[in-house]
Amino acid sequence: MKITDINTSSPYKAVTGSGLLKECGELIKKYTKIAGHAEKAAVITDDAVGPLYADIVEASLKEAGFDTAVYTLPNGEASKNIQSYAKVLGFLAESQITRSDFIVALGGGVIGDLSGFAAATFLRGIDFVQIPTTLLAAVDSSVGGKTGIDLDAGKNLAGAFYQPKLVICDMNCFDTLSDAVFTEGCAEIIKYGVLGDEELFKHLEKHGRDFDKEYVITRCIEMKRDIVCEDEFDTGLRQLLNLGHTLGHAVEKLSNFGMYHGMAVSVGMAVVVRASAAGHICSAETAERIVKLLKSFGLPTECEYGIDKLYELMQSDKKRRGKEIALVVPKAIADCEIVKMPLADMKSFMEKGI
Ligand code: GLY
């Protein structure tokens, strides 16, 4: 078991290891102050994850002395909306969750983001613990305190920065993921290697999908921790985490969200990396190495949409400020930078990578 200290404005730990679900109650007692005041845990999960793990988590919480109540949402991004959010708040009220109680988010990014937002707002804020059950949630959304829901006008448009009190990543959860969900998580893992850790990148080149999960996930969490602790409220450095996301979000939208987020990010990374090689920001060899690694994980690297449609959507990207967009480009493996690029230049830049 490994423990990563995350020293944001409200510090907490991320625990990574195997078989942690059945110890989650004890881990909460040991690594947070929650047991000093809480009587009850509200477990929020979905109908794909709940049947696998909710009983284990509930039993462990009970064993540690907490009462429990469980709320199950339908699996999928469609649940990350204002109606589900209202239902979760209603459930917390009906379950008589008080300000001293806490939420356990048991699931992937949708459950983590929505439960975190409910925790941030119910009774003006109660404690919450993240138990991510997908790779994507483990290495990205469960750490760093971005919580929120989608609105009809777009993804993640309502939310709050609200840090959990503990993150528990049980490696065993990642053994039951569908092939597609496992694969999309790998795109974010490869992203960390490209962003700042050549050893991690080499480990992924050497072991492919049989990578050492505990080492890799812990390393990604440490890297996210380093970035988030420098820029908790996303005003600069944190934008590095958006490598591949500007084009990726456009691809996701053009597919009507039929394409998994991680797959779209993979396409976005491949395009920006090829464009960077064409623009002499990185070498052709660096670009080839990154694209080859993505492909070897079964991730898509070709973009089936034309630049005009993509550009239209990229202009409405959250990362746009005025007539500029902050684009993350690789200079080498483990060396990326944020470039403030005029929108018009971005169009011709990206076109070279498609
Ligand atoms: N998912 C990007 C971030 O946490 O900033």
Side-chain angles (χ1 to χ4, degrees):
M1 188 171 86
K2 296 209 170 63
I3 295 165
T4 306
D5 285 298
I6 302 174
N7 288 319
T8 43
S9 51
S10 156
Y12 56 101
K13 294 180 193 304
V15 190
T16 38
S18 293
L20 300 184
L21 283 189
K22 59 180 191 309
E23 292 172 36
C24 68
E26 274 313 307
L27 293 172
I28 291 166
K29 274 174 88 172
K30 188 164 176 191
Y31 293 117
T32 75
K33 296 189 175 120
I34 286 174
H37 49 76
E39 285 179 6
K40 199 164 188 175
V43 180
I44 314 294
T45 189
D46 68 37
D47 58 9
V49 174
L52 295 172
Y53 306 127
D55 284 352
I56 303 171
V57 167
E58 253 200 299
S60 175
L61 289 166
K62 286 198 166 112
E63 212 177 305
F66 302 111
D67 276 344
T68 56
V70 179
Y71 190 74
T72 306
L73 287 158
N75 176 259
E77 186 75 26
S79 282
K80 202 174 146 181
N81 60 22
I82 206 146
Q83 288 81 15
S84 307
Y85 167 66
K87 281 183 190 158
V88 169
L89 294 183
F91 163 76
L92 296 172
E94 275 161 29
S95 308
Q96 299 183 344
I97 296 296
T98 69
R99 214 176 238 178
S100 53
D101 294 325
F102 67 110
I103 289 177
V104 174
L106 174 67
V110 167
I111 292 297
D113 285 7
L114 188 146
S115 307
F117 189 44
T121 47
F122 185 68
L123 303 178
R124 298 197 179 83
I126 63 172
D127 290 346
F128 87 114
V129 172
Q130 289 267 22
I131 307 188
T133 57
T134 63
L135 273 185
L136 198 66
V139 299
D140 187 29
S141 54
S142 66
V143 173
K146 277 191 184 174
T147 72
I149 53 170
D150 302 335
L151 300 183
D152 290 342
K155 280 181 77 171
N156 297 320
L157 289 187
F161 287 101
Y162 195 68
Q163 303 294 341
K165 293 292 180 215
L166 184 67
V167 180
I168 301 172
C169 290
D170 184 341
M171 300 304 126
N172 297 350
C173 293
F174 312 125
D175 293 336
T176 56
L177 297 177
S178 72
D179 189 64
V181 173
F182 184 85
T183 305
E184 73 153 346
C186 294
E188 294 282 351
I189 285 172
I190 292 171
K191 180 190 82 177
Y192 283 101
V194 177
L195 277 183
D197 188 341
E198 190 157 12
E199 282 314 304
L200 172 62
F201 193 91
K202 284 184 183 159
H203 179 92
L204 297 171
E205 283 182 320
K206 184 167 175 203
H207 298 280
R209 293 166 64 103
D210 285 329
F211 58 84
D212 176 339
K213 290 195 192 71
E214 193 169 324
Y215 157 68
V216 166
I217 291 169
T218 306
R219 191 62 200 109
C220 293
I221 290 175
E222 285 169 355
M223 289 178 69
K224 179 147 191 192
R225 179 267 318 268
D226 292 345
I227 292 172
V228 163
C229 287
E230 279 279 312
D231 179 24
E232 183 171 349
F233 299 105
D234 204 7
T235 57
L237 191 71
R238 192 161 176 167
Q239 288 170 3
L240 273 178
L241 296 167
N242 291 326
L243 174 64
H245 283 60
T246 302
L247 193 119
H249 283 147
V251 167
E252 226 180 331
K253 277 189 201 148
L254 286 170
S255 76
N256 281 325
F257 297 96
M259 188 182 252
Y260 282 73
H261 173 74
M263 313 299 190
V265 166
S266 172
V267 173
M269 271 196 283
V271 169
V272 84
V273 156
R274 286 192 294 253
S276 299
H280 306 291
I281 295 170
C282 71
S283 67
E285 190 207 358
T286 295
E288 271 161 33
R289 237 177 117 190
I290 297 169
V291 173
K292 189 172 164 203
L293 185 60
L294 292 167
K295 278 187 182 157
S296 74
F297 273 73
L299 284 157
T301 55
E302 299 306 319
C303 184
E304 59 182 89
Y305 303 104
I307 190 65
D308 289 329
K309 280 190 175 158
L310 291 162
Y311 180 63
E312 211 178 295
L313 289 167
M314 285 191 288
Q315 285 184 81
S316 60
D317 195 282
K318 279 200 302 254
K319 294 172 287 303
R320 181 163 78 84
R321 296 283 178 274
K323 288 192 165 35
E324 284 187 333
I325 194 151
L327 200 65
V328 185
V329 292
K331 293 195 286 180
I333 306 290
D335 184 10
C336 290
E337 71 174 348
I338 303 166
V339 175
K340 299 257 167 60
M341 199 178 277
L343 281 172
D345 292 357
M346 185 198 57
K347 185 176 180 185
S348 52
F349 176 78
M350 288 291 200
E351 197 169 14
K352 294 192 194 99
I354 291 175

